[in-house]
């Protein structure tokens, strides 16, 4: 921490959004951070969509997803949407630390999981993109929370079209048997980390796989949530 303070004093970081020289370790100044589209308070605790008084929404009551809870930092709106696009497709890897730092602060006193599992990428997609955006965020988060990062238990077994290119029903079919888990996760609490949740199909499929491997509790930790699947 002392080294970080000295670094910030000698080499102040500019804000990624407004170029203010007092951005601090997360790369976003306090003013811009306050103006970010933070996730609203009244949401369903399971899927993080709007809900009255933080009660379970009708969709989760009628057809509960495999995951037990969702924690989202932001609504998928500008400038978060643009930043995530730049991070994911523009190779702006410094944002991985920004998202990880903010998420660690947001988690606060939450009960921590036994492991963090980032959304796996198929090896062909990894070759195309050059990095796993969820894994890079999870590295920072794991270090801050002192929770083990698990990048070996789960794999993407099918090379599927990008979820963003598909309508809602196709996204669900697209994720059928898309993951496998070779490890015994019996009784463990698992946090699944991804950058964006839209329909939740990918995270739900991964949660089913993790639950089948014995996990007792599965949460989704995401950077941004869309409200209109």
């Amino acid at each position: 921490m002392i080294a970080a303070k000295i670094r910030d004093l000698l080499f102040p970081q500019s804000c990624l959004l407004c170029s203010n020289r007092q951005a601090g370790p997360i790369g976003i100044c306090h003013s811009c951070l306050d103006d970010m589209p933070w996730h609203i308070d009244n949401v369903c605790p399971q899927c993080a969509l709007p809900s009255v008084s933080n009660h379970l929404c009708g969709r989760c009551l009628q057809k509960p997803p495999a995951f037990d809870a969702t924690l989202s930092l932001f609504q998928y709106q500008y400038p978060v949407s643009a930043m995530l696009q730049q991070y994911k497709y523009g190779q702006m890897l410094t944002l991985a630390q920004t998202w990880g730092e903010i998420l660690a602060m947001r988690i606060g006193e939450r009960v921590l999981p036994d492991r963090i599992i980032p959304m796996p990428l198929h090896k062909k997609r990894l070759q195309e993109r050059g990095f796993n955006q969820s894994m890079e965020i999870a590295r920072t988060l794991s270090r801050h929370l002192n929770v083990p990062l698990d990048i070996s238990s789960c794999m993407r077994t099918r090379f599927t079209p990008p979820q963003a290119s598909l309508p809602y029903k196709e996204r669900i079919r697209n994720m059928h048997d898309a993951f496998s888990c070779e490890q015994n996760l019996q009784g463990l609490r698992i946090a699944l980390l991804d950058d964006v949740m839209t329909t939740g199909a990918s995270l739900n499929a991964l949660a089913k796989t993790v639950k089948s491997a014995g996990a007792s509790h599965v949460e989704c930790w995401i950077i941004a949530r869309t409200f209109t699947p």
Side-chain angles (χ1 to χ4, degrees), residues 3 6 8 17 25 38 44-45 62 65 94 109 124 130-131 133 147 166 181 191 212 215:
I6 294 174
D8 292 340
L17 297 174
W38 292 94
C44 171
Q62 293 175 6
T94 55
E109 300 300 319
K124 290 184 179 180
F131 72 105
Q133 73 277 2
V147 173
L166 301 173
C181 184
S212 295

Side-chain angles (χ1 to χ4, degrees), residues 78-133:
Y78 186 84
V80 171
S81 54
M83 293 171 72
L84 282 169
Q85 290 288 317
Q86 188 67 18
Y87 168 57
K88 196 170 182 177
Y89 303 112
Q91 304 288 320
M92 195 171 179
L93 291 176
T94 55
L95 279 170
Q97 181 170 339
T98 297
W99 302 133
E101 297 257 6
I102 299 174
L103 190 53
M105 291 188 293
R106 186 65 178 268
I107 289 169
E109 300 300 319
R110 199 179 183 93
V111 175
L112 295 179
D114 297 298
R115 299 184 189 180
I116 299 173
I117 297 180
M119 176 63 67
L121 283 184
H122 192 275
K123 59 183 179 180
K124 290 184 179 180
R125 187 77 66 208
L126 186 59
Q127 289 172 351
E128 291 176 356
R129 189 168 298 160
F131 72 105
N132 180 334
Q133 73 277 2

Side-chain angles (χ1 to χ4, degrees), residues 185-216:
L185 304 178
Q186 191 65 41
L188 296 182
R189 297 176 63 89
I190 302 295
L192 305 178
L193 193 143
D194 205 1
D195 55 342
V196 179
M197 180 190 282
T198 302
T199 63
S202 298
L203 284 161
N204 192 50
L206 182 56
K208 285 181 181 178
T209 302
V210 170
K211 284 281 184 76
S212 295
S216 62

Side-chain angles (χ1 to χ4, degrees), residues 143-177:
R143 189 166 58 248
H144 276 278
L145 300 180
N146 197 28
V147 173
L149 174 61
D150 184 347
I151 61 175
S152 61
S153 291
C154 297
M155 296 184 298
R156 194 94 170 222
T157 55
R158 289 199 302 112
F159 184 63
T160 57
Q163 288 290 86
S165 67
L166 301 173
Y168 176 72
K169 291 184 178 179
E170 286 297 321
R171 293 185 184 204
I172 298 175
R173 284 194 286 266
N174 193 43
M175 288 294 103
H176 182 66
D177 290 333

